[in-house]
Amino acid sequence: DAKTTQPTSMDCAEGRAANLPCNHSTISGNEYVYWYRQIHSQGPQYIIHGLKNNETNEMASLIITEDRKSSTLILPHATLRDTAVYYCIVRSTIQGAQKLVFGQGTRLTINP
Amino acid sequence: KAGVTQTPRYLIKTRGQQVTLSCSPISGHRSVSWYQQTPGQGLQFLFEYFSETQRNKGNFPGRFSGRQFSNSRSEMNVSTLELGDSALYLCASSLGDRGSYGYTFGSGTRLTVV
């Protein structure tokens, strides 16, 4: 019952920007968009999250469309260490019982 | 500050046995969630605890149970282990139950049932 759709895999050249799309067409007004990544056999690592506005931190930028039905995670200068599975997740802002529903994610491979 | 700590990191058990996994959240975090990850099913939600109360439960059989202590540490227990329970079990903690609070995951416990 994942609420997001992502491409199964993507490739990107080292040093270039990696743009990972995510479709969340059923997102409701009170749901955040979260991005996590998982490097083989480690726990998922938080990257960034946003509600309406674009967000940027030291790791990445998150661009959310005006209608909030899709978003793009941007890794500005990809390195080999960015090779991982990237998960886009929506999470309710409503206080109370919550869970993260993970889809299959995008397997991003950074090529030298 | 210390991250989410899960113990043990690796575990091998025999079918029919039971197992207890431990999770110590980040100091000050009151919400703890558990996830099971397998190659076939991906990351699946098991349950979430907030202030010692189970708030949400995933679609797993009753053999899977958990609890949270007053210091927010959590344990999950799996009884009558089956081969299919072999998986990476991940714990995640959060400050609270608002959507603006992110989750921080531990490194997981890899359970192998033989």
Side-chain angles (χ1 to χ4, degrees), chain A residues 9-12 18 20 75 82-86 106-110:
Chain A
S9 63
M10 292 182 64
D11 286 90
C12 180
L20 290 84
L75 307 178
D82 292 323
T83 292
V85 177
Y86 287 75
T106 296
R107 183 172 297 278
L108 175 67
T109 302
I110 306 300

Side-chain angles (χ1 to χ4, degrees), chain A residues 3 5 9 26 28-29 32-33 39-40 47 68 87 89 100 104 112:
Chain A
K3 296 183 177 182
T5 305
S9 63
T26 61
S28 59
Y32 277 86
V33 177
I39 297 169
H40 183 62
I47 301 173
R68 302 205 331 119
Y87 296 99
I89 302 156
L100 298 179
Q104 293 305 307

